[in-house]
Amino acid sequence: DEKIIVSTVGYKPQKGDIVVLSSTDGIKDSIVKRIIAVGGDVVDINFTTGVVTVNGTEENSFFINKNKIL
């Protein structure tokens, strides 16, 4: 029974923000994601170890699930 209020008025994404993405290909559910980088940032994902770096700094954040790396 939790609700999310979504607004796009005057919004410029910032690192750490939570965004809601809606699909146009027939998927009914929205996708909720957290922004870890913005334009100009360099993101590197090591798919073996699951380590994510942004601009050379390792992201040790709770929102990176290393068990879900493909």
Side-chain angles (χ1 to χ4, degrees):
D1 293 327
E2 294 182 24
K3 305 219 183 315
I4 297 176
I5 298 172
V6 179
S7 174
T8 59
V9 177
Y11 174 70
K12 181 177 178 185
Q14 299 290 319
K15 185 175 177 179
D17 287 355
I18 297 173
V19 295
V20 179
L21 308 171
S22 57
S23 175
T24 58
D25 64 359
I27 298 174
K28 294 180 183 179
D29 294 331
S30 296
I31 300 169
V32 178
K33 296 289 182 180
R34 182 179 303 270
I35 297 175
I36 65 167
V38 294
D41 288 343
V42 176
V43 178
D44 182 56
I45 303 170
N46 183 317
F47 289 99
T48 303
T49 63
V51 173
V52 177
T53 60
V54 178
N55 299 326
T57 302
E58 184 175 340
E59 290 291 320
N60 291 321
S61 302
F62 67 92
F63 51 82
I64 296 174
N65 186 344
K66 294 181 181 178
N67 297 322
K68 296 279 184 175
I69 301 293
L70 301 176

